[in-house]
């Protein structure tokens, strides 16, 4: 009978993990909040993802879920005081681990990994995040040296996770294939070779796109006649004009407002300038407060 058998199975000793007892929350919160203002090197710049979890919080939760609380080892830390001292030591490691600038610090990571390995004599656990989203949890699990699996219902999330976790390790240590990038560095650690290739081919694609379709995106003229590069374009469908005196296409636009006036900032709107003789429409970008518009820029679009 199953219940009889179960009675004789040895119960695994309950070993509380650090996360079940205490965490240095102030340090984790501070590092998580600081991440909001980080752009360079953060996955948020790879692709927009809502409900993205801070990396610092994920790193801390993973690490503290794997590392034993000192009370799990009464043989080594028999008194409450000794346990508290050891917990303090673990807190110091965690406080360094969550700091953004330490994210790829080999010494900090090695120290953190050593503590995990100490708690799993032999094989390390596999981390599975079946709802990976922007990939914060699997990224941090990978960083801690754990075998990591991620999945998501949303194909965009799957693509983000592939780009972040699956593809870069495949190219680890390999040199770039683009001839220009090959001369940049002598040695290629981690995914540096892949990054150099993406930069080189991305630059080629940018110039090639400009060469082929750049004429469709002309520069704008500023208020003092200077050349300005538009950073955004508004597309409008056009239809053949029903006006028998106008033999061209006209745009279908619901609103010409680019920004409403608020908090002391002027309204910005597009003004179509119609030349009936040449049968052409130019578009000006105006700004100003109600009734007092000022032309700042002229965008040419036909
Ligand atoms: C809150 S997000 C995860 C955020 C992630 N931890 C991060 O840091 O970016 C929850 C994810 O669960 C996914 N999801 C929801 N239902 C699912 C299902 N039935 N199977 C797989 N993924 C699912 C959603 O697509 C979404 O990406």
């Amino acid at each position: 009978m199953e219940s009889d058998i179960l009675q004789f199975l040895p119960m695994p000793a309950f070993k509380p993990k650090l996360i079940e007892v205490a965490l240095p929350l102030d340090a984790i919160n501070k590092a998580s909040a600081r991440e909001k203002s980080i752009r360079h090197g953060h996955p948020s710049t790879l692709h927009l993802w809502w409900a993205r979890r801070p990396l610092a919080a994920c790193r801390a939760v993973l690490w503290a879920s794997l590392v034993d609380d000192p009370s799990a080892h009464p043989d080594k830390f028999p008194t409450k005081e000794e346990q508290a001292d050891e917990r303090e030591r673990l807190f110091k490691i965690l406080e360094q681990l969550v700091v953004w600038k330490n994210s790829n610090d080999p010494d900090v990571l090695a120290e953190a990994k050593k503590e995990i390995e100490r708690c799993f004599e032999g094989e390390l656990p596999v981390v599975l995040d079946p709802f990976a989203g922007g990939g914060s949890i699997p990224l941090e699990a990978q960083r801690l040296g754990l075998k990591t699996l991620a999945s998501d219902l949303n194909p965009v999330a799957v693509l983000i996770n592939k780009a972040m976790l699956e593809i870069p390790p495949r190219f680890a240590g390999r040199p770039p294939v683009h001839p220009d990038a090959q001369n940049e560095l002598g040695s290629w650690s981690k995914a540096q070779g892949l990054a150099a290739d993406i930069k080189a081919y991305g630059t080629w694609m940018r110039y090639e796109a400009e060469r082929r379709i750049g004429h469709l995106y002309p520069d704008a003229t500023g208020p003092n006649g200077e050349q300005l590069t538009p950073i955004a374009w508004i597309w409008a469908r056009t239809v053949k004009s029903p006006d028998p005196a106008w033999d061209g296409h006209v745009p279908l636009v619901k609103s010409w407002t680019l920004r409403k006036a608020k908090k002391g900032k002027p309204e910005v709107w597009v003004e179509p300038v119609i030349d009936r003789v040449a049968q052409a429409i130019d578009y000006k970008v105006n700004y100003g407060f109600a009734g007092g518009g000022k032309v700042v820029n002229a965008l040419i679009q036909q």
Side-chain angles (χ1 to χ4, degrees), residues 39-203:
R39 291 283 162 269
H40 187 74
H42 195 276
S44 59
T45 54
L46 179 68
H47 196 285
L48 181 71
W49 191 255
W50 65 95
R52 190 184 284 284
R53 301 288 169 260
L55 300 182
C58 295
R59 201 175 303 163
V61 165
L62 279 161
W63 191 79
S65 306
L66 295 168
V67 171
D68 294 342
D69 182 71
S71 60
H73 299 282
D75 49 327
K76 288 188 203 153
F77 311 106
T79 66
K80 293 257 179 246
E81 288 71 30
E82 282 166 304
Q83 290 172 16
D85 288 349
E86 172 63 1
R87 212 170 280 127
E88 244 347 279
R89 187 185 72 81
L90 294 175
F91 276 14
K92 289 209 167 68
I93 296 174
L94 188 50
E95 283 162 7
Q96 284 303 306
L97 185 63
V98 294
V99 173
W100 171 255
K101 74 170 172 47
N102 293 342
S103 298
N104 292 314
D105 185 308
D107 295 336
V108 172
L109 291 177
E111 192 177 25
K113 284 179 194 173
K114 201 172 78 189
E115 294 300 329
I116 299 175
E117 282 158 6
R118 203 170 47 81
C119 301
F120 291 87
E121 297 137 2
E123 211 176 331
L124 296 181
V126 176
V127 172
L128 162 68
D129 185 353
F131 309 102
S136 309
I137 293 169
L139 176 69
E140 291 308 323
Q142 207 176 52
R143 200 192 302 277
L144 291 174
L146 303 161
K147 187 171 177 198
T148 308
L149 303 168
S151 66
D152 200 285
L153 193 62
N154 186 321
V156 176
V158 172
L159 191 64
I160 294 173
N161 278 274
K162 273 187 180 289
M164 212 161 59
L165 308 159
E166 196 179 293
I167 297 172
R170 265 197 242 155
F171 293 87
R174 288 170 60 173
V177 294
H178 193 286
D180 294 351
Q182 278 169 356
N183 303 325
E184 265 179 40
L185 282 178
S187 70
W188 304 95
S189 75
K190 298 185 182 168
Q192 279 180 318
L194 176 67
D197 264 341
I198 290 172
K199 201 170 145 201
Y201 284 105
T203 306

Side-chain angles (χ1 to χ4, degrees), residues 253-266:
V253 174
K254 200 170 158 193
S255 166
W256 291 112
T257 304
L258 298 178
R259 183 186 69 191
K260 289 184 179 162
K262 61 176 176 185
K263 289 185 187 162
K265 288 189 175 170

